[in-house]
Amino acid sequence: MTEVRGLNVAVLGATGAVGQQMIETLEKRDLPIKKLTLLSSARSAGTRVLFKGEEIEVQEAKPESFEGIDIALFSAGGSVSKEMAPEAVKRGAIVVDNTSAFRMDENVPLVVPEVNEEDLKWHNGIIANPNCSTIQMVVALEPIRQKFGLNKVVVSTYQAVSGAGAAAISELLDQSQAILNNEEATASVLPVKGDKNHYQIAFNVIPQIDKFQDNGFTFEEMKMINETKKIMHMQELPVAATCVRLPVVTGHSESVYIEIDREGVTAAEVKELLKSAPGIVLEDDPDNQVYPMPAAAVGKNDVFVGRIRKDLDEEKGFHLWIVSDNLLKGAAWNSVQIAESLLKLELVTVK
Amino acid sequence: MTEVRGLNVAVLGATGAVGQQMIETLEKRDLPIKKLTLLSSARSAGTRVLFKGEEIEVQEAKPESFEGIDIALFSAGGSVSKEMAPEAVKRGAIVVDNTSAFRMDENVPLVVPEVNEEDLKWHNGIIANPNCSTIQMVVALEPIRQKFGLNKVVVSTYQAVSGAGAAAISELLDQSQAILNNEEATASVLPVKGDKNHYQIAFNVIPQIDKFQDNGFTFEEMKMINETKKIMHMQELPVAATCVRLPVVTGHSESVYIEIDREGVTAAEVKELLKSAPGIVLEDDPDNQVYPMPAAAVGKNDVFVGRIRKDLDEEKGFHLWIVSDNLLKGAAWNSVQIAESLLKLELVTVK
């Protein structure tokens, strides 16, 4: 017990890459927590985790684990979410789910607080946390949409391996060392654990994240397309994505081309707008080679935006370079931020 | 002397990364060579290079070095080209220049043989070899332009460090080892040797290649924009580029969004077209996770194209993923190919 009055918070998937970041983020922020319950699969149960100077033992997640929980942060895979989220809701918890299980469910709000915090108000127990690559993009696009309108989005991503979990990080590091030793690099995780073929990621680029759909786009690309429309409340917005995995441990980058709805807007105006927009740090000073890079974004909650240029031919066209820590704003921090918004909007009460 | 009848060919910049690939490419191809002259700066002169079983000593490049040369392949930096190309031309050589020195000179053809071989006919002694990232893109776009028209190009690149020379390769490998050892990674080459700041490239992404222009685009991005228009003879074509450096040794990748001029075209038709287009290998089978990757393209002359998709909103929009070995089709092979085209078109004669 860390406070006398506060929320009972649970983290499901507490031993995973995102779960650990959730615990660290809860420790840094000042969400009032009366009790933190850490849950995992039977396999990882028993692990002890330090939280605000106290050791907490990770327990096996069961339906009863959610008795008395106010907010449960889920990050243990889609099938676990599908099974456990209704059990948690039945017991009175609000679930903030970091998997794709409920994102496109029309009864579930899909929320990035800087963009559509108000959608939390119509939740039915479950709130979905969007895909990592979607979150950082909509944080940068929403102020632009509000001020200048938005007619088109074409994004090419540069995604880190930590989005594919701890095994993918090990694979990148092991392969890198093997190649530096002139040894053969073996692959068994990337691009997709459950897919047929695996390819070297060290010193390579793989244009596949998640499995392919019949239309030639990957599920990751379709997540970016569909989730962007849902979060921004623009079903009619043309969005296209090409999602690419790189030999980077943490930090997703995105090259984004947009067309706004107004003529006569300058790059300077877009920079000025984003400079004071919520959740954004503008890093855009070409003369001094200032622009966002993943190595500099690791460990930070912000979305970094730079390289803002007006298209040379299309009057309404602009280019942006968007970088963020995919485990923080892309996952753990956005989930904790949703919990903070629930409290701020009085959708959960401290007892 | 390797053949009794043949061309006198010189390579200037023989000890550099591209120069070495030029020599290897000349060895593999059957351009008839009577004598190969290898030239470099005073510093590298004296190096001995094996060519078709014979040792050739690299000599210091001087104006007189080009006496009797039929074709000179230049890859020793822009300032050397500006000084030496007129000297070589004065002595009767045709210069194929791999630097940016003459590319936008309206008296100099800028040639990718699959696209505009005919432009060789109006050369005035100097022929420019385009920027690496431009070459692989126009090889893929030209058949599309011919059959369906082309109205718009937006490219985001994923470029290897070898494009920045041998020192950049060492920097990537040294930094990678340092990071794997939990040591500090130092940077002194990338993103641009002569620029103010240097950043870590290992396990990172740098959205800067070449220096910045006043318009916020880098010179590399402007090269892609301007060279594409010149090679394809489409000054009016809207082209936009974002050029990005990755921790990859060799092989550039490109995520390209295009709009063609015709409605009703399917992705299957674009694939069918590119399957038989010159210089292209189609690698596009999502069901079997077949798509181009730089690690698989290294050492090959072809341009690999895959992930061809029709845009989900824009009837004339398509997405492509284009990969090629930046030292070969992007530099050495395209230069040697120009030499082969000169012979084929009888613009140079074997004595």
Side-chain angles (χ1 to χ4, degrees):
Chain A
M1 305 222 186
T2 59
E3 306 203 15
V4 180
R5 289 185 78 249
L7 299 167
N8 289 325
V9 174
V11 172
L12 173 58
T15 60
V18 172
Q20 287 173 28
Q21 296 287 336
M22 283 172 169
I23 298 165
E24 280 185 36
T25 303
L26 287 170
E27 194 160 50
K28 283 181 199 155
R29 303 289 305 184
D30 38 13
L31 190 75
I33 299 180
K34 189 153 61 182
K35 189 180 174 202
L36 180 66
T37 302
L38 302 181
L39 303 169
S40 73
S41 63
R43 191 167 45 84
S44 301
T47 312
R48 292 179 156 274
V49 175
L50 209 64
F51 179 73
K52 295 189 177 176
E54 242 181 286
E55 261 201 358
I56 302 178
E57 188 175 320
V58 179
Q59 301 161 41
E60 184 186 347
K62 292 177 182 166
E64 310 82 69
S65 312
F66 298 97
E67 295 287 356
I69 297 293
D70 297 304
I71 297 178
L73 308 179
F74 276 39
S75 189
S79 56
V80 176
S81 287
K82 277 184 186 151
E83 188 194 334
M84 286 294 177
E87 298 291 346
V89 172
K90 204 188 295 174
R91 288 166 177 82
I94 300 176
V95 172
V96 181
D97 182 35
N98 191 44
T99 77
S100 63
F102 302 103
R103 286 181 191 149
M104 297 313 294
D105 185 328
E106 56 185 30
N107 293 310
V108 173
L110 182 66
V111 176
V112 178
E114 290 88 345
V115 180
N116 63 333
E117 190 180 50
E118 291 291 306
D119 282 337
L120 291 172
K121 292 181 178 167
W122 56 266
H123 84 79
N124 299 299
I126 302 175
I127 295 146
N129 193 73
N131 180 264
C132 46
S133 44
T134 310
I135 294 175
Q136 66 185 69
M137 184 169 79
V138 297
V139 167
L141 296 188
E142 176 63 11
I144 296 172
R145 183 197 70 75
Q146 282 182 20
K147 183 145 187 188
F148 304 122
L150 195 58
N151 291 339
K152 188 182 186 72
V153 179
V154 179
V155 54
S156 296
T157 71
Y158 300 68
Q159 294 183 234
V161 298
S162 57
I169 298 175
S170 300
E171 182 159 281
L172 168 60
L173 299 178
D174 292 349
Q175 285 178 357
S176 299
Q177 190 58 69
I179 289 168
L180 290 169
N181 293 348
N182 282 314
E183 293 161 7
E184 209 183 325
T186 56
S188 61
V189 179
L190 291 169
V192 183
K193 186 102 182 98
D195 215 339
K196 287 172 281 190
N197 302 303
H198 298 103
Y199 304 121
Q200 173 193 321
I201 184 63
F203 305 106
N204 195 23
V205 176
I206 306 179
Q208 180 192 356
I209 298 183
D210 211 332
K211 291 188 177 179
F212 281 98
Q213 291 198 339
D214 289 341
N215 66 357
F217 286 79
T218 60
F219 277 91
E220 181 83 355
E221 288 158 358
M222 293 311 299
K223 283 177 206 164
M224 287 198 80
I225 293 167
N226 294 325
E227 293 180 17
T228 298
K229 296 179 190 197
K230 179 170 176 176
I231 299 164
M232 299 183 85
H233 297 183
M234 290 187 83
Q235 282 308 318
E236 72 292 0
L237 179 68
V239 183
T242 299
C243 290
V244 180
R245 189 75 76 186
L246 301 190
V248 169
V249 176
T250 301
H252 287 354
S253 307
E254 295 172 347
S255 171
V256 184
Y257 170 69
I258 58 169
E259 287 174 11
I260 61 172
D261 197 38
R262 264 185 36 196
E263 297 192 344
V265 177
T266 65
E269 285 177 87
V270 176
K271 288 182 202 182
E272 193 56 37
L273 173 67
L274 294 185
K275 206 165 144 183
S276 56
I280 292 175
V281 173
L282 183 73
E283 292 189 331
D284 196 330
D285 179 5
D287 285 347
N288 292 302
Q289 295 174 268
V290 173
Y291 35 68
M293 293 185 285
V298 173
K300 293 172 186 161
N301 285 343
D302 314 278
V303 173
F304 299 89
V305 186
R307 302 260 14 238
I308 298 169
R309 290 154 288 157
K310 182 158 179 151
D311 194 80
L312 300 173
D313 300 288
E314 170 55 51
E315 171 58 29
K316 297 177 178 176
F318 288 87
H319 303 269
L320 302 93
W321 177 253
I322 305 168
V323 177
S324 194
D325 184 321
N326 52 298
L327 298 179
L328 292 179
K329 184 56 184 166
W333 163 232
N334 198 68
S335 291
V336 172
Q337 200 180 7
I338 287 172
E340 293 184 3
S341 291
L342 286 169
L343 191 64
K344 187 183 81 178
L345 297 174
E346 300 180 347
L347 296 167
V348 66
T349 40
V350 173
K351 279 161 287 197
Chain B
M1 306 219 183
T2 58
E3 304 203 15
V4 181
R5 290 184 76 250
L7 299 167
N8 289 326
V9 175
V11 173
L12 173 58
T15 58
V18 172
Q20 287 173 30
Q21 295 288 336
M22 284 173 167
I23 297 165
E24 280 184 36
T25 303
L26 287 169
E27 192 158 52
K28 284 180 196 153
R29 303 289 307 184
D30 38 12
L31 189 76
I33 298 180
K34 190 152 64 183
K35 188 179 175 205
L36 180 67
T37 302
L38 302 182
L39 303 169
S40 73
S41 63
R43 191 167 45 83
S44 302
T47 312
R48 294 179 154 274
V49 176
L50 210 62
F51 179 72
K52 295 189 176 175
E54 243 181 286
E55 262 201 355
I56 303 179
E57 188 175 320
V58 178
Q59 300 161 42
E60 185 185 346
K62 294 177 182 166
E64 310 81 69
S65 312
F66 298 97
E67 295 287 354
I69 297 294
D70 297 305
I71 296 177
L73 308 179
F74 276 39
S75 188
S79 57
V80 176
S81 287
K82 277 183 186 151
E83 187 194 335
M84 286 293 178
E87 298 292 345
V89 171
K90 204 189 295 175
R91 289 166 176 84
I94 300 176
V95 172
V96 181
D97 182 35
N98 191 45
T99 76
S100 62
F102 302 103
R103 285 181 192 150
M104 296 313 295
D105 185 327
E106 57 186 29
N107 293 309
V108 173
L110 182 66
V111 177
V112 178
E114 291 88 344
V115 180
N116 64 334
E117 190 179 49
E118 291 291 305
D119 282 338
L120 292 173
K121 292 180 178 166
W122 57 265
H123 83 80
N124 299 299
I126 302 174
I127 295 147
N129 193 72
N131 180 263
C132 47
S133 44
T134 310
I135 295 176
Q136 66 186 68
M137 184 169 79
V138 297
V139 167
L141 296 187
E142 176 63 11
I144 296 171
R145 185 198 67 78
Q146 281 183 20
K147 184 146 186 189
F148 304 121
L150 194 58
N151 291 340
K152 188 182 187 70
V153 178
V154 179
V155 55
S156 297
T157 72
Y158 300 67
Q159 295 184 232
V161 298
S162 58
I169 299 176
S170 300
E171 181 159 282
L172 167 60
L173 300 178
D174 292 349
Q175 285 179 356
S176 300
Q177 189 59 68
I179 290 168
L180 290 170
N181 294 349
N182 282 314
E183 293 161 6
E184 209 182 326
T186 57
S188 61
V189 179
L190 291 170
V192 183
K193 186 102 181 98
D195 215 337
K196 286 172 280 188
N197 301 304
H198 299 103
Y199 304 120
Q200 173 193 322
I201 184 64
F203 305 106
N204 194 23
V205 175
I206 305 179
Q208 181 192 356
I209 299 183
D210 211 333
K211 291 188 178 180
F212 282 97
Q213 291 197 341
D214 288 339
N215 66 357
F217 286 79
T218 61
F219 278 92
E220 181 83 356
E221 288 159 356
M222 293 312 299
K223 284 177 204 164
M224 286 198 79
I225 293 168
N226 294 325
E227 294 181 16
T228 297
K229 297 179 189 198
K230 179 170 177 177
I231 298 164
M232 298 184 87
H233 296 183
M234 289 187 84
Q235 283 307 318
E236 75 290 1
L237 179 69
V239 183
T242 300
C243 290
V244 180
R245 190 75 76 187
L246 303 189
V248 169
V249 176
T250 301
H252 286 354
S253 307
E254 295 171 348
S255 172
V256 185
Y257 169 70
I258 58 168
E259 288 174 10
I260 61 172
D261 197 37
R262 263 184 38 195
E263 296 192 346
V265 176
T266 64
E269 285 176 87
V270 176
K271 289 183 200 181
E272 192 57 36
L273 172 68
L274 295 184
K275 205 165 143 181
S276 55
I280 292 175
V281 172
L282 183 74
E283 292 188 331
D284 196 329
D285 179 4
D287 286 348
N288 292 302
Q289 295 174 268
V290 174
Y291 36 68
M293 292 184 285
V298 173
K300 294 170 186 163
N301 287 342
D302 313 278
V303 173
F304 298 88
V305 186
R307 304 264 5 243
I308 298 168
R309 290 153 289 158
K310 182 159 178 149
D311 193 80
L312 300 174
D313 301 287
E314 171 54 51
E315 170 58 29
K316 297 176 176 176
F318 288 87
H319 304 269
L320 302 92
W321 177 253
I322 304 169
V323 177
S324 194
D325 184 323
N326 52 300
L327 298 179
L328 292 178
K329 184 56 182 167
W333 162 232
N334 198 68
S335 290
V336 172
Q337 199 181 8
I338 287 172
E340 293 184 2
S341 292
L342 287 169
L343 191 66
K344 189 184 81 180
L345 297 174
E346 299 181 347
L347 296 168
V348 66
T349 40
V350 174
K351 280 159 285 195

